[in-house]
Amino acid sequence: MRSSDALRALTTAATFLAATYLAPRAEAQLARGFALERLYQSAPGGGWVVMDALDMRGGLGGAVALTTGYAANPLRVSQGSQALAVVSDEAFVDFGFAITWDRLRLYLNLDAPLAIDGDATSAGTHVGGYTFVSPSVGLGSSPDPLTDARVGFDVRLLGGPTSPFRLGLGAQLLIPNGARSCFLPVPGDPPVVPACYETDGTYRGMLRALFAGDIGGFTYAGQLGVHIRPLDDAPVPGSPQGSELLFGAAAGPKIALGRGASAPALIVGPRCSARRRSARSSARSPRASRGS
Amino acid sequence: MLPGLSFRHRPCRARAWRGVAIAAGALAGILLATSSAHAQAAPPAGHQDEAFDFMNLLAHHDLHDISQESWNAYGQFTSIEQWKPAFSARYSGEQSLGTAAEGSFTETATLFFGLRLWHGGEAYFVPEVISELPLSGLHGIGGAIQNFELQKTGSETPQLYRSRTYLRQTFGLGGGPEEKESDPMQLGTKVDKRRIVFTVGNFTILDVFDRNSISWDPRQTFLNMAFMTYASWDFPSDARGYSWGGAEELYWDSWVFRLARITPPQRPNQLPLDLRLWEFYGDNVEIEHDHTIRGQAGAVRLLGYRNRVDTGRFADAIAAFQGNQQENARSCGPRSDYLANPNAPDLCWVRKPNVKLGIGLSVEQHFTEDIGVFARGMFSDGQSEVDAFNAADRSFSVGAVAKGSAWKRSFDVTGVGFGMSWISSIHAQYLAMGGVDGFLGDGNLRQAAEGVVEGFYSVNLLDAIWVTADYQFLWNPGYNADRGPVNIFGGRVHAEF
């Protein structure tokens, strides 16, 4: 073979390989899902929305809780003037069960999605080089789903059940369950109910330092912790990712609705809780934002 | 569970710790299970009073009023392994029971939570994990599917799901008190013998209807579905066996009248449910009479059902195919839910709102405190495809269950049963032309009744664990005289806490 022929063959092969390698990259990449619902409520009987009053006492006790929540546009992506509510409506109901003993509270929480919907089409909507498929979860299409199961404990380490300052520790394990990503329909196959954005698909954990107290008719609580998430939760590169730091504080007057230490009480006051994550940005990637 | 044995024991410390270990293991199994999953829709059997459970333990320590409960919590774990040696068949189709040796399993772990809301009002919540591997993709067997735990949507990857969430409201009408013992999905309480009970929410119709006290729970007695309920009762449900809807029961001395309307699947044998209960539904009616003969309890139940669901009729599918042979399964595209035979009729072309009817009779009778027999028979019209349960149009089963009191093993359970099921002639013609339905499709058919004989022995260990050996003999699988017979050997480990 002459050198010019060899060069031509080599050029042809290189062109073919480059075309083969680069062709898929020209197509929109399907964005993967993650656990979108991350308002992790306190254990049943915990006394606050996400923290713990650390007022466990006495022998064996327990509590159950049924709570529900709704989020409007919890996940939007945008690039330039193009915007898409990947998840536009999200409603969950949370079943909680707790057992208390002395200064320990053990609990199990199970989240059931009632509705998860979005504006992307089932064939996928393109934004910034990515294809998004929205979930379409409802009682009819998905009659019995449960998402990540959450088991945990809170324990009071310092102080009594009514002390002005109580210090405790909490830990939770989140066990993956449910659908992470929606997929594009396969031509010729029966349609599949799209379910996604329910889970990270990985085990996760939370460690929290908890504090609380009662001073006369005034009560307060707070937390500082870390949420260990192995998964990059970003549907596109450049969004926040990884583990989170957890902060929270709440306080207010406590109005007893009965007599005795175990009487129900109404607490009126502000609550502030937040998560902070590491962030990287990319000017060329669509931007994801989470509302609540 | 057979009624009769009723004695509470004092759990000693060793038993308590053993129970705690069982419970911890089962709870870990629920949350961390890593093998397969599939779940059944049958209601749980009652706990044996002498066996370990948390509620008895709490009650023993004066921490819980088990006779008048405001809440309760129970759990169970069941692992079923089965193996089928190779068998002979003159031919096989796309949805045949495979002739090669094959294994199958299910593993389930369940928590049962109950909560009293107000006077007469109760709420129940039942999460469950299931992992499963059916024989031949759950194909090739009609009314004698070898393990009632198997679900149509199961996979080897464990799936956590919410099997039941429902409210129950009881209105007393007098007639004297009747004690309801604490059990899974039953708060310990006293109710009037005459009462109306409403159940609303997400449940299986088997939680309310066909409450045979001798054989209905594959975790404790027989494994084969032929003995769990009427094999030809095509009650609407999702692919796991659960529905949304409401049921009403009137208890009046020795009589019980039941009515229910429940949701069908959007498409036959799929998980999504059609919630338009005014348009598509399954209506069920049951009359029960309880009696005693020579002091032993018995019951007779008459059950009827009427489904209005989106299904295909076999005659319509055959006519469509004969009119235009391009309208076969392969050309159905996304409308086809089953495997496709390009040379056969398919139901996907003719699905429309259809009515399906059936009527059944169930009898149970105890001969002694520890020995009971049962029989069930049902006739369904057999004109349209199976919508939610299994491919049987007529069925009959009879069996006996005994506890081991006679040989001083009072927690041991043994039983033997015989079941037969049939399909209608038009159903058989459809299959013989190579058609497929939710479970069957041998490509051809030499019609015969499908039969099964099952025997099992369950050994109790540590008060709360049962280990079972099971054998089943099936003949004419898929109503096809050209296939089988089939031997199925099984084992089961079941724990309660």
Side-chain angles (χ1 to χ4, degrees):
Chain A
M1 181 184 288
R2 291 183 303 174
S3 61
S4 58
D5 290 343
L7 185 61
R8 193 178 305 124
L10 188 62
T11 305
T12 304
T15 304
F16 175 76
L17 285 173
T20 305
Y21 180 70
L22 294 175
R25 296 180 175 235
E27 297 174 3
Q29 183 180 337
L30 185 64
R32 303 196 66 188
F34 58 94
L36 183 58
E37 168 62 20
R38 296 210 296 278
L39 175 63
Y40 300 116
Q41 298 156 51
S42 60
W48 296 92
V49 177
V50 295
M51 290 162 272
D52 196 310
L54 297 172
D55 58 354
M56 302 80 91
R57 72 190 79 192
L60 189 67
V64 297
L66 180 69
T67 54
T68 187
Y70 169 78
N73 290 326
L75 180 63
R76 289 173 61 84
V77 294
S78 60
Q79 186 174 51
S81 61
Q82 195 179 12
L84 173 70
V86 180
V87 179
S88 58
D89 301 278
E90 181 192 62
F92 271 80
V93 62
D94 181 277
F95 299 88
F97 309 88
I99 297 172
T100 55
W101 179 267
D102 194 10
R103 54 183 61 209
L104 176 67
R105 190 190 320 275
L106 298 169
Y107 56 92
L108 166 68
N109 279 79
L110 298 170
D111 268 1
L114 297 175
I116 312 177
D117 283 302
D119 294 342
T121 66
S122 60
T125 299
H126 306 288
V127 178
Y130 286 83
T131 300
F132 294 89
V133 179
S134 289
S136 180
V137 172
L139 278 183
S141 62
S142 305
D144 57 12
L146 289 173
T147 60
D148 295 350
R150 193 158 53 100
V151 292
F153 72 87
D154 293 335
V155 60
R156 187 177 66 248
L157 301 174
L158 191 66
T162 58
S163 298
F165 180 75
R166 308 186 284 273
L167 182 65
L169 184 70
Q172 299 178 22
L173 174 67
L174 289 94
I175 300 153
N177 192 63
R180 179 185 170 192
S181 299
C182 283
F183 298 97
L184 295 171
V186 177
D189 281 5
V192 176
V193 176
C196 48
Y197 294 100
E198 294 176 343
T199 179
D200 278 2
T202 62
Y203 284 87
R204 292 179 281 149
M206 278 192 240
L207 284 173
R208 299 186 300 170
L210 302 161
F211 59 91
D214 293 286
I215 304 169
F218 183 82
T219 187
Y220 68 93
Q223 68 170 11
L224 178 63
V226 61
H227 175 190
I228 302 163
R229 296 184 67 205
L231 182 70
D232 176 347
D233 73 358
V236 292
S239 294
Q241 62 178 316
S243 299
E244 303 167 326
L245 294 175
L246 306 171
F247 312 90
K254 189 174 184 179
I255 304 162
L257 301 178
R259 293 182 178 179
S262 60
L266 176 67
I267 300 171
V268 180
R271 175 186 68 84
C272 175
S273 62
R275 295 183 290 264
R276 179 182 173 82
R277 292 167 291 187
S278 63
R280 292 183 301 189
S281 62
S282 167
R284 288 184 297 174
S285 297
R287 181 171 158 272
S289 60
R290 293 185 59 238
S292 62
Chain B
M1 183 183 72
L2 283 169
L5 279 182
S6 179
F7 44 93
R8 297 190 182 279
H9 75 156
R10 300 273 187 261
C12 65
R13 184 174 296 273
R15 277 182 173 171
W17 280 111
R18 217 160 39 212
V20 169
I22 292 166
L27 183 60
I30 287 175
L31 297 171
L32 301 171
T34 54
S35 54
S36 69
H38 162 94
Q40 52 97 36
H47 267 217
Q48 304 211 27
D49 291 338
E50 194 173 326
F52 168 84
D53 63 58
F54 273 131
M55 307 319 296
N56 270 333
L57 182 66
L58 295 178
H60 176 66
H61 288 87
D62 294 328
L63 295 168
H64 184 73
D65 182 357
I66 201 165
S67 62
Q68 198 64 40
E69 291 183 308
S70 57
W71 67 278
N72 69 17
Y74 289 95
Q76 73 85 33
F77 169 82
T78 304
S79 176
I80 297 171
E81 299 278 344
Q82 292 178 301
W83 180 73
K84 164 184 73 68
F87 70 97
S88 62
R90 291 182 62 188
Y91 48 82
S92 295
E94 293 195 36
Q95 294 195 171
S96 288
L97 181 66
T99 54
E102 193 177 6
S104 166
F105 72 88
T106 58
E107 290 174 0
T108 59
T110 316
L111 293 174
F112 304 90
F113 296 104
L115 178 69
R116 185 169 306 286
L117 302 174
W118 49 74
H119 181 67
E122 302 161 6
Y124 294 95
F125 175 67
V126 185
E128 182 164 84
V129 168
I130 183 166
S131 169
E132 73 172 23
L133 178 66
L135 292 176
S136 306
L138 205 57
H139 291 145
I141 301 178
I145 291 172
Q146 84 285 356
N147 177 359
F148 195 40
E149 289 257 64
L150 286 163
Q151 296 176 344
K152 286 175 244 182
T153 58
S155 70
E156 292 184 64
T157 303
Q159 299 172 347
L160 174 65
Y161 73 102
R162 175 181 44 75
S163 70
R164 298 167 176 92
T165 310
Y166 64 87
L167 300 175
R168 182 189 294 156
Q169 177 67 48
T170 302
F171 297 100
L173 301 174
E178 178 179 324
E179 186 177 351
K180 304 293 283 185
E181 290 192 356
S182 173
D183 268 323
M185 301 195 306
Q186 177 59 63
L187 294 173
T189 188
K190 281 191 174 64
V191 295
D192 287 351
K193 287 182 177 173
R194 296 176 179 175
R195 61 190 183 275
I196 294 178
V197 182
F198 293 97
T199 303
V200 178
N202 182 200
F203 57 92
T204 169
I205 194 72
L206 297 177
D207 291 340
V208 182
F209 283 63
D210 191 29
R211 296 305 303 266
N212 188 304
S213 68
I214 296 171
S215 176
W216 80 98
D217 187 350
R219 293 163 179 165
Q220 292 201 352
T221 58
F222 297 99
L223 296 176
N224 195 292
M225 67 166 297
F227 309 112
M228 297 297 105
T229 187
Y230 308 93
S232 53
W233 181 18
D234 193 12
F235 60 84
S237 65
D238 64 25
R240 298 188 201 276
Y242 301 92
S243 316
W244 287 87
E248 178 188 2
E249 301 171 87
L250 171 63
Y251 291 80
W252 197 268
D253 299 331
S254 58
W255 291 91
V256 188
F257 303 89
R258 299 186 174 95
L259 295 168
R261 172 165 283 196
I262 52 176
T263 54
Q266 291 179 9
R267 301 190 314 166
N269 304 299
Q270 305 297 310
L271 187 64
L273 289 171
D274 195 325
L275 300 181
R276 296 171 294 172
L277 269 172
W278 59 93
E279 192 168 353
F280 296 104
Y281 47 79
D283 285 341
N284 300 271
V285 181
E286 186 179 60
I287 302 171
E288 173 181 330
H289 183 263
D290 301 325
H291 62 257
T292 57
I293 297 177
R294 297 185 178 180
Q296 300 299 328
V300 179
R301 299 178 185 86
L302 181 66
L303 186 150
Y305 76 89
R306 179 182 185 275
N307 298 342
R308 187 178 188 278
V309 290
D310 196 33
T311 52
R313 293 171 69 86
F314 300 114
D316 293 348
I318 292 170
F321 178 69
Q322 289 174 334
N324 178 2
Q325 299 210 353
Q326 299 304 311
E327 294 193 347
N328 57 55
R330 184 65 47 86
S331 58
C332 249
R335 285 184 292 176
S336 179
D337 292 317
Y338 313 130
L339 297 175
N341 183 344
N343 303 308
D346 197 284
L347 296 156
C348 61
W349 289 103
V350 293
R351 288 203 177 116
K352 60 183 176 59
N354 279 312
V355 169
K356 189 171 191 176
L357 299 167
I359 187 166
L361 184 70
S362 165
V363 180
E364 62 177 90
Q365 181 62 51
H366 292 271
F367 289 143
T368 72
E369 290 285 304
D370 292 338
I371 299 175
V373 297
F374 66 92
R376 292 185 180 97
M378 176 166 273
F379 184 96
S380 293
D381 61 41
Q383 299 303 305
S384 55
E385 65 180 309
V386 56
D387 189 44
F389 199 40
N390 69 353
D393 297 325
R394 287 103 211 205
S395 60
F396 173 78
S397 65
V398 61
V401 175
K403 290 191 170 184
S405 306
W407 52 96
K408 303 189 188 310
R409 296 279 309 171
S410 60
F411 277 10
D412 289 4
V413 185
T414 186
V416 61
F418 166 83
M420 297 285 286
S421 53
W422 299 263
I423 52 175
S424 64
S425 56
I426 191 68
H427 191 170
Q429 183 184 346
Y430 170 81
L431 293 175
M433 293 175 70
V436 295
D437 65 16
F439 298 87
L440 305 179
D442 291 335
N444 200 348
L445 184 76
R446 188 157 66 93
Q447 187 182 2
E450 181 185 86
V452 60
V453 171
E454 179 177 0
F456 73 92
Y457 190 93
S458 193
V459 179
N460 177 258
L461 305 169
L462 304 174
D463 289 352
I465 297 175
W466 284 262
V467 178
T468 305
D470 182 90
Y471 170 71
Q472 299 175 36
F473 180 75
L474 275 73
W475 61 97
N476 304 330
Y479 311 101
N480 198 337
D482 288 336
R483 314 193 85 245
V486 185
N487 296 284
I488 299 176
F489 302 90
R492 173 179 59 198
V493 177
H494 171 68
E496 300 177 352
F497 57 92

